[in-house]
């Protein structure tokens, strides 16, 4: 007899049950070994990046498999919001999807439809062939699928900030994530994630999400900035990435044993 399986709680479930802000990091190297190391760190979230990383479907699958035994919840960022791409990620078994660059209510609504089966969406039905249902070993997968998936959308532009309250209120959007790097660029402040105008915009999105009852997270690699956003009501923060941790730690070794570099300090976030 085949093993009958029950899927893990979704990111939305974890956010609802949390009694503190969740803390996570990015897995950007594309390595399942590195993703597994991150998953065993004690952090709450491992965010597997498909937008700014050298990954494909196979490497995302391998990372999901490597992270699966650990308590950390895996979230997968799609390269862009397109129904076919999201269908492939869902069929790989990614329960928790992050869509970048969502600027409007209509875009958010389209992403909700993309991650849901008919009649509530347009997700293609191939679950018997896919890891998402564990090849039909999750009982009643098709009937339950919409409840086994969470959708987070990224707020990364000035237009998106203006629409944040309405986007947060879209049925099926489980969380928002603010990307201060792209937001700063959109505001004409490229590379200035801690500029007062950027901080004010981020805090405005957090407030809009809280008013709508939708959790909001923020990228904040600088600890003081992360603390500020948690104090402002962020439900989760992403405080580092595998590649930046390796870059900074290897530079520290070079500084210690060879000599301090004269270049300016690297940015506190990406």
């Amino acid at each position: 007899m085949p093993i009958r399986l029950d899927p893990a709680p979704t990111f939305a479930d974890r956010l609802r049950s949390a009694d503190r802000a969740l803390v996570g990091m990015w897995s950007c190297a594309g390595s399942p070994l590195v993703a597994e190391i991150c998953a065993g760190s004690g952090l709450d979230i491992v965010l597997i990046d498909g937008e700014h990383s050298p990954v494909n479907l196979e490497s995302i699958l391998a990372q999901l498999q490597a992270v699966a035994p650990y308590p950390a919840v895996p979230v997968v960022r799609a390269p862009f919001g397109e129904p076919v791409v999201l269908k492939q990620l869902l069929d790989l078994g990614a329960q928790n999807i992050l869509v970048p660059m969502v600027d409007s209510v209509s875009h958010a609504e389209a992403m909700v439809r993309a991650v849901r089966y008919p009649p509530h969406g347009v997700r293609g039905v191939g679950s018997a062939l896919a890891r998402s249902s564990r090849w039909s070993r999750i009982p009643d997968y098709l009937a339950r699928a919409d409840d086994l998936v969470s959708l987070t959308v990224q707020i990364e532009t000035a237009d998106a900030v203006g629409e944040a309250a309405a986007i947060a209120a879209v049925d099926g959007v489980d969380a928002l994530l603010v990307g201060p790097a792209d937001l700063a660029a959109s505001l004409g402040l490229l590379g200035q994630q801690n500029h007062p105008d950027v901080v004010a915009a981020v805090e405005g999105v957090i407030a809009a999400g809280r008013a709508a009852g939708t959790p909001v997270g923020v990228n904040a690699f600088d600890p003081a900035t992360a603390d500020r956003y948690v104090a402002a009501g962020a439900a989760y923060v992403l405080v580092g990435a595998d590649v930046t941790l390796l870059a900074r730690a290897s530079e520290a070794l070079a500084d210690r044993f060879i000599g301090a570099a004269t270049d300016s300090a690297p940015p506190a976030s990406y």
Side-chain angles (χ1 to χ4, degrees), residues 54-95:
V55 300
N56 55 26
L57 293 175
E58 289 83 359
S59 61
I60 291 173
L61 171 60
Q63 290 180 77
L64 287 169
Q65 291 170 326
V67 171
Y70 295 87
V73 60
V75 180
V76 177
R77 178 160 68 175
F80 57 96
E82 200 281 328
V84 171
V85 172
L86 299 186
K87 173 180 65 178
Q88 290 180 303
L89 293 175
L90 290 167
D91 282 353
L92 287 181
Q95 287 182 262

Coordinates of all heavy atoms in Angstrom, one line a residue, residues 54-95:
P54 N 21.0 31.8 -10.0 CA 21.2 30.9 -11.2 C 20.5 29.5 -11.0 O 21.2 28.5 -10.9 CB 22.7 30.8 -11.1 CG 23.1 30.8 -9.7 CD 22.1 31.8 -9.1
V55 N 19.2 29.6 -11.0 CA 18.5 28.3 -10.7 C 17.6 28.0 -11.9 O 17.2 28.8 -12.7 CB 17.6 28.5 -9.4 CG1 18.5 28.8 -8.2 CG2 16.5 29.5 -9.6
N56 N 17.2 26.7 -11.9 CA 16.2 26.2 -12.8 C 15.2 25.4 -12.0 O 15.3 25.2 -10.8 CB 16.8 25.5 -14.0 CG 17.7 24.3 -13.5 OD1 17.5 23.8 -12.4 ND2 18.7 24.0 -14.3
L57 N 14.3 24.7 -12.7 CA 13.3 23.9 -12.0 C 13.9 22.8 -11.3 O 13.5 22.5 -10.1 CB 12.2 23.4 -13.0 CG 11.3 24.4 -13.7 CD1 10.4 23.8 -14.7 CD2 10.5 25.2 -12.6
E58 N 14.9 22.2 -11.9 CA 15.6 21.0 -11.2 C 16.2 21.4 -9.9 O 16.2 20.7 -8.9 CB 16.5 20.3 -12.1 CG 15.9 19.6 -13.3 CD 15.5 20.4 -14.5 OE1 15.7 21.7 -14.4 OE2 15.0 19.9 -15.4
S59 N 16.9 22.6 -9.9 CA 17.6 23.0 -8.7 C 16.7 23.5 -7.6 O 16.9 23.3 -6.4 CB 18.7 24.0 -9.0 OG 18.1 25.2 -9.6
I60 N 15.5 24.1 -8.0 CA 14.5 24.5 -7.1 C 13.9 23.2 -6.4 O 13.8 23.2 -5.2 CB 13.4 25.3 -7.7 CG1 14.0 26.7 -8.1 CG2 12.2 25.5 -6.8 CD1 13.0 27.6 -8.9
L61 N 13.7 22.2 -7.2 CA 13.2 20.9 -6.7 C 14.2 20.3 -5.7 O 13.8 19.9 -4.6 CB 12.9 20.0 -7.9 CG 12.6 18.5 -7.5 CD1 11.4 18.4 -6.6 CD2 12.5 17.6 -8.7
A62 N 15.4 20.3 -6.1 CA 16.4 19.8 -5.2 C 16.5 20.5 -3.9 O 16.7 19.9 -2.8 CB 17.8 19.7 -5.9
Q63 N 16.4 21.8 -3.9 CA 16.4 22.6 -2.7 C 15.1 22.3 -1.8 O 15.2 22.2 -0.6 CB 16.5 24.1 -3.0 CG 17.8 24.5 -3.6 CD 17.9 26.0 -3.9 OE1 18.1 26.8 -3.0 NE2 17.8 26.3 -5.2
L64 N 14.0 22.2 -2.5 CA 12.8 21.9 -1.7 C 12.9 20.5 -1.0 O 12.5 20.4 0.2 CB 11.6 21.9 -2.6 CG 11.1 23.2 -3.1 CD1 10.0 23.0 -4.2 CD2 10.4 24.0 -2.0
Q65 N 13.5 19.6 -1.7 CA 13.7 18.3 -1.1 C 14.7 18.3 0.0 O 14.6 17.7 1.1 CB 14.2 17.3 -2.2 CG 13.1 17.0 -3.2 CD 13.6 16.2 -4.4 OE1 14.8 16.4 -4.8 NE2 12.8 15.3 -4.9
A66 N 15.8 19.2 -0.1 CA 16.8 19.3 1.0 C 16.2 20.0 2.2 O 16.6 19.6 3.3 CB 18.0 20.1 0.4
V67 N 15.4 20.9 2.0 CA 14.8 21.7 3.1 C 13.7 20.9 3.8 O 13.4 21.2 5.0 CB 14.3 23.1 2.6 CG1 13.6 23.8 3.7 CG2 15.5 23.9 2.2
A68 N 13.0 20.0 3.1 CA 11.8 19.4 3.6 C 11.8 18.8 5.0 O 10.9 18.9 5.8 CB 11.3 18.4 2.6
P69 N 12.9 18.1 5.4 CA 12.9 17.5 6.8 C 13.0 18.5 7.9 O 12.8 18.1 9.1 CB 14.2 16.6 6.7 CG 14.6 16.5 5.3 CD 14.1 17.8 4.7
Y70 N 13.3 19.8 7.6 CA 13.6 20.7 8.7 C 12.3 21.6 9.0 O 11.4 21.7 8.2 CB 14.7 21.6 8.3 CG 16.0 20.9 8.1 CD1 16.3 20.3 6.9 CD2 16.9 20.8 9.2 CE1 17.5 19.6 6.7 CE2 18.1 20.1 9.0 CZ 18.4 19.5 7.8 OH 19.6 18.7 7.7
P71 N 12.3 22.2 10.2 CA 11.1 23.0 10.6 C 11.0 24.3 9.8 O 9.9 24.8 9.7 CB 11.4 23.3 12.1 CG 12.4 22.3 12.6 CD 13.2 21.9 11.4
A72 N 12.0 24.8 9.3 CA 12.0 26.1 8.5 C 11.0 25.9 7.3 O 11.0 24.9 6.6 CB 13.3 26.5 8.0
V73 N 10.2 26.9 7.1 CA 9.2 26.9 6.0 C 9.9 27.4 4.7 O 10.5 28.4 4.7 CB 7.9 27.7 6.4 CG1 8.2 29.1 6.6 CG2 6.9 27.5 5.3
P74 N 9.8 26.6 3.7 CA 10.4 27.0 2.4 C 9.4 27.9 1.6 O 8.2 27.5 1.5 CB 10.7 25.7 1.7 CG 9.7 24.8 2.2 CD 9.3 25.2 3.6
V75 N 9.8 29.0 1.1 CA 9.1 29.8 0.2 C 9.9 30.0 -1.1 O 11.1 30.1 -1.0 CB 8.8 31.2 0.8 CG1 8.0 32.1 -0.1 CG2 8.2 31.1 2.2
V76 N 9.2 29.9 -2.2 CA 9.9 30.0 -3.5 C 9.5 31.2 -4.2 O 8.3 31.5 -4.5 CB 9.6 28.7 -4.4 CG1 10.3 28.9 -5.8 CG2 10.0 27.4 -3.7
R77 N 10.5 32.1 -4.6 CA 10.2 33.2 -5.4 C 10.3 32.9 -6.9 O 11.3 32.4 -7.3 CB 11.1 34.4 -5.1 CG 10.9 35.6 -6.0 CD 11.4 36.9 -5.4 NE 12.9 37.0 -5.4 CZ 13.6 38.1 -5.1 NH1 12.9 39.1 -4.7 NH2 14.9 38.1 -5.1
A78 N 9.2 33.1 -7.6 CA 9.2 32.9 -9.0 C 10.0 34.0 -9.7 O 10.2 35.1 -9.2 CB 7.7 33.0 -9.5
P79 N 10.5 33.7 -10.9 CA 11.3 34.8 -11.6 C 10.4 35.9 -12.0 O 10.8 37.1 -12.1 CB 11.8 34.0 -12.8 CG 10.9 32.8 -13.0 CD 10.5 32.4 -11.6
F80 N 9.1 35.7 -12.3 CA 8.1 36.7 -12.6 C 6.7 36.1 -12.5 O 6.6 34.8 -12.4 CB 8.3 37.3 -14.0 CG 8.3 36.3 -15.1 CD1 7.2 36.1 -15.8 CD2 9.5 35.6 -15.4 CE1 7.1 35.2 -16.9 CE2 9.5 34.7 -16.5 CZ 8.3 34.5 -17.2
G81 N 5.7 36.9 -12.4 CA 4.4 36.5 -12.2 C 3.7 36.1 -13.5 O 3.1 36.9 -14.2
E82 N 3.8 34.8 -13.9 CA 3.2 34.2 -15.1 C 2.6 32.9 -14.8 O 3.2 32.1 -14.1 CB 4.3 34.1 -16.2 CG 3.8 34.1 -17.6 CD 3.3 32.7 -18.0 OE1 3.8 31.7 -17.4 OE2 2.4 32.6 -18.8
P83 N 1.3 32.7 -15.2 CA 0.7 31.4 -14.8 C 1.4 30.1 -15.1 O 1.3 29.2 -14.3 CB -0.7 31.5 -15.5 CG -0.9 33.0 -15.6 CD 0.4 33.6 -15.9
V84 N 2.0 30.0 -16.2 CA 2.7 28.8 -16.6 C 3.9 28.5 -15.6 O 4.1 27.4 -15.1 CB 3.2 28.8 -18.0 CG1 4.1 27.6 -18.3 CG2 2.0 28.8 -19.0
V85 N 4.6 29.6 -15.3 CA 5.8 29.5 -14.4 C 5.3 29.1 -13.0 O 5.8 28.2 -12.4 CB 6.6 30.8 -14.4 CG1 7.6 30.7 -13.3 CG2 7.2 31.1 -15.7
L86 N 4.2 29.7 -12.6 CA 3.7 29.4 -11.2 C 3.2 28.0 -11.2 O 3.3 27.3 -10.2 CB 2.6 30.4 -10.8 CG 3.0 31.8 -10.8 CD1 1.9 32.7 -10.2 CD2 4.3 32.0 -9.9
K87 N 2.5 27.5 -12.3 CA 2.0 26.1 -12.4 C 3.2 25.2 -12.2 O 3.1 24.2 -11.5 CB 1.3 25.9 -13.7 CG 0.9 24.5 -14.0 CD 0.2 24.3 -15.3 CE 1.2 24.6 -16.5 NZ 0.5 24.4 -17.8
Q88 N 4.3 25.4 -12.9 CA 5.4 24.5 -12.8 C 6.0 24.5 -11.4 O 6.3 23.4 -10.8 CB 6.5 24.9 -13.8 CG 6.1 24.7 -15.2 CD 7.3 25.1 -16.2 OE1 7.7 26.3 -16.1 NE2 7.7 24.2 -17.0
L89 N 6.1 25.6 -10.7 CA 6.6 25.7 -9.4 C 5.7 24.9 -8.4 O 6.1 24.2 -7.5 CB 6.8 27.1 -8.9 CG 7.9 27.9 -9.6 CD1 7.9 29.3 -9.2 CD2 9.3 27.3 -9.4
L90 N 4.4 25.2 -8.6 CA 3.4 24.5 -7.7 C 3.5 22.9 -7.9 O 3.5 22.2 -6.9 CB 2.0 25.0 -8.0 CG 1.7 26.4 -7.6 CD1 0.4 26.9 -8.2 CD2 1.6 26.5 -6.1
D91 N 3.6 22.5 -9.2 CA 3.7 21.1 -9.4 C 5.0 20.5 -8.9 O 5.0 19.3 -8.5 CB 3.6 20.8 -10.9 CG 2.1 20.9 -11.4 OD1 1.2 21.0 -10.6 OD2 1.9 20.9 -12.7
L92 N 6.0 21.3 -8.7 CA 7.2 20.8 -8.1 C 7.0 20.5 -6.6 O 7.8 19.8 -6.0 CB 8.4 21.8 -8.2 CG 9.0 22.0 -9.5 CD1 10.1 23.1 -9.4 CD2 9.6 20.7 -10.1
G93 N 6.0 21.0 -6.1 CA 5.7 20.9 -4.6 C 6.0 22.1 -3.8 O 6.0 22.1 -2.6
A94 N 6.2 23.3 -4.5 CA 6.3 24.5 -3.8 C 4.9 24.9 -3.3 O 4.1 25.3 -4.1 CB 6.9 25.6 -4.7
Q95 N 4.7 24.8 -2.0 CA 3.4 25.2 -1.4 C 3.3 26.7 -1.2 O 2.2 27.3 -1.2 CB 3.3 24.6 0.0 CG 3.0 23.1 0.0 CD 2.8 22.6 1.4 OE1 3.7 22.1 2.0 NE2 1.6 22.8 2.0

